[in-house]
Amino acid sequence: AGGTDWGMTQDQAKWWKPLGGVADEGSAKLSAEALHPGLLNWMAVQSLIITENGGFKILPQTEIWPLMRFVQEEGPIRVVINEEALERLYWVQGYQWVENTDAAITMLMSDTIDPRRMCVVEENEKSKVALQRVMAERNPVNAEVVGMTHWEVDTPEEVVVTVQADTPGICVLADTYMSGWKVEVDGEQATLLKVNGGFRGVALMAGEHTVRFVYQPVSFFVGLGLSLLTLAFLVVSGCYGLVAKPAWA
């Protein structure tokens, strides 16, 4: 915000391009044209805070922002509410395959799929196996079916939710997909799907399920292993010191 740079993943940098941002070596500045209501909806962006010296251009409420509601239009800070934004957590019944992040963003911008009923999933061997096991068809069988989601735990490194639906579907969490994130369904390891061009999802059978997203990067296990080895060395060294006392002791 306000032209501030910050580090981002490659996928996040790709999102800035259609939003009007200029990505350069892992950082980006928000340009004056950085608005596409459709993408903001998929990103679950529910509000915008606009400063006078920021990158946003103050636009009137026209067809460019058809469902944006200004709640503060005076002073150095403007606040806009996006009435069409998706929830951060939701359930969909159908999906479409895409090859990569660029293809996903292109499809999301095309407005050819209903975001409240479908998502796009990046295709790879693991995701294909997971979806074929859970969902026999890509498209919704019954557009009237609605899945219920409920938050249980929400921390930076762990998210636990419950999902209930009468048909198979995909639980979508509009948080960044990144190496190190794992997912469990009812206590069992599951396949983490890359959905909607850079967010997290998991395929679920019909019924009620507990879903746990947890951040466990490789560095965590490397550090744990080194700590255990160090502890073991100290214990062995201490025991040896007690047994092998010098003759003068």
Side-chain angles (χ1 to χ4, degrees):
T4 301
D5 295 348
W6 62 91
M8 60 180 65
T9 66
Q10 291 183 345
D11 286 341
Q12 290 170 337
K14 290 177 180 179
W15 272 88
W16 280 109
K17 293 181 181 179
L19 287 172
V22 180
D24 181 20
E25 298 182 356
S27 64
K29 286 186 177 181
L30 199 61
S31 78
E33 304 301 324
L35 277 180
H36 186 290
L39 287 183
L40 293 178
N41 296 344
W42 288 101
M43 295 166 68
V45 175
Q46 299 182 3
S47 60
L48 304 172
I49 298 176
I50 306 171
T51 59
E52 287 182 338
N53 61 346
F56 275 121
K57 181 185 297 183
I58 305 299
L59 300 175
Q61 194 167 4
T62 64
E63 67 276 0
I64 299 177
W65 291 5
L67 293 167
M68 297 287 186
R69 178 169 55 89
F70 285 80
V71 296
Q72 181 173 321
E73 300 186 62
E74 303 296 333
I77 297 177
R78 314 290 180 89
V79 180
V80 185
I81 302 299
N82 182 11
E83 304 282 9
E84 281 293 287
L86 294 168
E87 297 293 331
R88 181 172 156 229
L89 172 71
Y90 58 99
W91 177 93
V92 295
Q93 194 179 7
Y95 67 96
Q96 290 286 347
W97 289 120
V98 291
E99 295 181 2
N100 50 45
T101 300
D102 291 325
I105 294 173
T106 298
M107 181 173 288
L108 298 182
M109 291 180 64
S110 68
D111 298 326
T112 58
I113 62 176
D114 184 346
R116 301 186 185 280
R117 305 199 188 282
M118 301 187 70
C119 66
V120 296
V121 181
E122 187 165 311
E123 185 174 4
N124 55 52
E125 289 303 318
K126 289 185 177 181
S127 62
K128 286 165 59 177
V129 170
L131 284 170
Q132 288 172 358
R133 182 174 61 248
V134 173
M135 304 173 66
E137 300 182 19
R138 296 189 193 180
N139 296 318
V141 177
N142 182 357
E144 299 302 320
V145 175
V146 177
M148 304 297 293
T149 59
H150 179 72
W151 294 93
E152 301 291 346
V153 177
D154 185 16
T155 68
E157 296 184 350
E158 181 185 28
V159 174
V160 180
V161 301
T162 55
V163 183
Q164 196 283 324
D166 294 333
T167 65
I170 297 175
C171 173
V172 177
L173 177 64
D175 287 359
T176 303
Y177 178 98
M178 187 180 296
S179 176
W181 279 99
K182 312 293 182 184
V183 64
E184 299 173 357
V185 176
D186 299 329
E188 300 291 332
Q189 193 73 34
T191 299
L192 183 66
L193 304 175
K194 184 177 181 180
V195 303
N196 296 342
F199 304 108
R200 297 178 227 151
V202 61
L204 300 175
M205 299 289 289
E208 183 172 345
H209 303 281
T210 298
V211 180
R212 178 176 181 253
F213 299 91
V214 60
Y215 187 59
Q216 296 177 338
V218 174
S219 58
F220 168 80
F221 293 102
V222 172
L224 179 62
L226 291 175
S227 298
L228 292 175
L229 286 174
T230 301
L231 179 61
F233 174 78
L234 293 175
V235 170
V236 171
S237 298
C239 292
Y240 180 78
L242 291 175
V243 174
K245 292 184 177 180
W248 52 265

